[in-house]
């Protein structure tokens, strides 16, 4: 069974995040049962404009997601869906970090020279984000 740990935030925000994560896993990764996911609700907004991060910690089964806890509900769920899409990409081996710092996306290697908005894993995450958040609100929130 997947293990989901929520750190930080209020009791109600932890419950909401847990619902969203479990809903996402059931919808997008239904066959995965051995994921270990930690979601940290922190103040992580930075100068680059990021409200969340997803990190693969170990062999595409252990992940840490960081979400800015000061976001409004819609934006928090939207950001969480975006970061969970990155988790999906790692778990399915669609995206892998190479030892030299480059990223491999579906067998193609990308270097630092590609604009953020042109990165295929970001395109997918942004594309799915809006669809997922709307479905999430009607399904589980």
């Amino acid at each position: 069974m997947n293990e989901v740990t929520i750190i930080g935030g209020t009791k109600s925000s932890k419950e909401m995040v847990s619902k969203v994560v479990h809903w996402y896993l059931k919808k997008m990764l239904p066959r995965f049962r051995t994921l270990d996911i930690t979601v940290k609700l922190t103040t992580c907004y930075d100068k680059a404009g990021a409200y969340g991060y997803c990190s693969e910690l170990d062999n595409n089964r252990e992940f840490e997601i960081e979400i800015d806890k000061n976001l409004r509900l819609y934006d928090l769920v939207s950001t969480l869906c975006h970061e969970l899409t990155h988790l999906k990409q790692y778990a399915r081996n669609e995206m892998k970090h190479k030892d030299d710092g480059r990223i491999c996306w579906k067998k193609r290697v990308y270097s630092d020279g590609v604009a953020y908005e042109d990165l295929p894993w970001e395109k997918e995450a942004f594309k799915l984000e809006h669809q997922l958040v709307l479905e999430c609100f009607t399904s589980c929130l």
Side-chain angles (χ1 to χ4, degrees):
M1 190 69 163
N2 294 320
E3 185 176 326
V4 178
T5 305
I6 316 294
I7 299 171
T10 63
K11 181 180 178 183
S12 62
S13 65
K14 285 180 183 178
E15 290 171 358
M16 183 272 303
V17 167
S18 180
K19 282 183 186 178
V20 173
V21 171
H22 285 94
W23 170 84
Y24 186 97
L25 293 174
K26 185 177 179 182
K27 177 175 179 57
M28 300 298 286
L29 296 166
R31 294 183 180 171
F32 284 74
R33 298 282 183 242
T34 59
L35 301 176
D36 184 357
I37 304 165
T38 300
V39 179
K40 293 183 176 181
L41 298 171
T42 64
T43 305
C44 68
Y45 179 73
D46 64 14
K47 293 176 185 172
Y51 290 102
Y53 298 95
C54 177
S55 302
E56 177 188 23
L57 302 179
D58 188 29
N59 67 7
N60 76 337
R61 287 296 178 262
E62 186 178 348
F63 304 91
E64 183 176 283
I65 293 176
E66 192 172 352
I67 303 289
D68 195 306
K69 67 181 178 183
N70 298 313
L71 293 170
R72 290 177 287 158
L73 179 61
Y74 180 91
D75 294 329
L76 191 139
V77 174
S78 179
T79 302
L80 183 55
C81 287
H82 181 102
E83 299 309 327
L84 285 165
T85 298
H86 291 316
L87 183 148
K88 174 203 66 88
Q89 294 164 346
Y90 287 126
R92 288 187 177 165
N93 285 316
E94 297 168 336
M95 180 168 58
K96 297 179 189 176
H97 287 273
K98 299 186 71 61
D99 291 337
D100 62 5
R102 297 180 302 160
I103 296 176
C104 184
W105 169 257
K106 297 183 178 180
K107 300 182 182 179
R108 181 173 173 200
V109 178
Y110 289 81
S111 60
D112 290 340
V114 181
Y116 174 81
E117 61 273 3
D118 293 331
L119 296 169
W121 55 90
E122 292 299 341
K123 284 183 176 183
E124 179 186 43
F126 279 113
K127 180 181 176 184
L128 289 175
E129 174 183 327
H130 300 294
Q131 168 191 335
L132 289 168
V133 74
L134 295 175
E135 192 174 332
C136 181
F137 271 102
T138 58
S139 299
C140 73
L141 295 180

